Amino acid sequence: SDTGMSTLSLEFLGTAGAIRTPRPGCNCRLCVQARRGGIPWERGGPSVFVHGPNVLIDTPEESAMQVNRAGIGPIAAGFYSHWHPDHTAGRRMWETRNWDFRNWPPNHICTPIYLPPNVVRDFGVFMGLKENFDYWQAKGLVDVRLMDGPVSLGGWAITAHQVHEEYVYAFLFEEEDGQRRVLIAMDELYGWSPPAEFVGVDLAVLPTGIFEFNPFSGERRMAADHPVLEREATWRQTMEMVEKLQAKRVVFAHIEEPDGNSPEELLLLADELRRARGWNVTFAYDTLVVEL
């Protein structure tokens, strides 16, 4: 462009958390409406495509469908934030996308897959992840690489940063010839406090957190001794992170079906945060595209 800026936009392929909407067998108002009306009520598993560097972050169960729906062409690389199944269970997307099933000899696509150090470790422990990727690497479909330093793609330097939970990483995208910075934290921010290097980023993508309380009335929604509160960040804790982060814009994703918040309620909540706190915030929905 005339400004010399590298292009970048984020496409939210899936904005659910561990529990998609609609949830199989569930007849709550969210799930009924999602079956009836689709997006924005319907949410698939957590995944983001970063246009510009053309990076796919995480592959939930619905990954192949999400990538197909978005009409995504070239993928320069895949990144994984951690091993959890809602972020990895759709990894066969790489096989169905990259395997040339008709030509002989085949002309496969081979996509670099970047794994931060503890993600490499965990892929060797959980869910047969290492075996899957070893198989696809032997077939020439992926090239798994240790992400132990910056990765340069499309004019952006991408680095992986461990959060408080040592098995999870957030990704920082920094423009190589400019000042813009984008932080993408896919999940698991329990106990995290934004370090100084992230303060003031141009855009931050954060998991919403669990709504222990109704965000409007303050009424308690969950038992105070629920064990999930000992390992998952709450919405109130997430707001404390946003206060410290001071990002120019925040997009919340990883929105869980059990919390029961409708798209309309989330719009109202975003409006309230703009008025009360001056935050530029958005609650993501599947197919949302955010331009930087």
Side-chain angles (χ1 to χ4, degrees), residues 70-139:
I72 290 168
I75 300 178
F79 291 72
Y80 282 95
S81 62
H82 63 303
W83 70 269
H84 280 174
D86 52 324
H87 296 258
T88 61
R91 56 193 179 271
R92 274 202 69 238
M93 196 282 299
W94 300 115
E95 179 178 338
T96 58
R97 178 182 181 275
N98 290 2
W99 195 311
D100 179 359
F101 288 99
R102 284 293 173 262
N103 293 306
W104 193 261
N107 184 27
H108 300 314
I109 298 168
C110 184
T111 305
I113 303 294
Y114 288 96
L115 306 180
N118 289 351
V119 181
V120 171
R121 177 200 69 194
D122 291 343
F123 269 39
V125 177
F126 298 107
M127 290 174 44
L129 285 156
K130 184 180 187 300
E131 288 87 346
N132 272 181
F133 279 95
D134 283 350
Y135 172 73
W136 295 323
Q137 180 143 347
K139 294 293 183 183

Side-chain angles (χ1 to χ4, degrees), residues 59-80:
T59 54
E61 290 97 321
E62 305 91 347
S63 185
M65 181 278 292
Q66 292 172 347
V67 170
N68 188 59
R69 178 180 63 194
I72 290 168
I75 300 178
F79 291 72
Y80 282 95

Side-chain angles (χ1 to χ4, degrees), residues 2 19 38 48 60 73 82 98 104 114 155-156 158 166 174 205 209 226 230 239 252 255 271 284:
D2 293 339
I19 308 299
V48 174
H82 63 303
N98 290 2
W104 193 261
Y114 288 96
W156 293 81
I158 308 160
E166 55 86 32
E174 296 178 280
V205 175
H226 196 297
E230 297 176 7
M239 287 199 293
F252 295 112
I255 296 166
D271 287 342

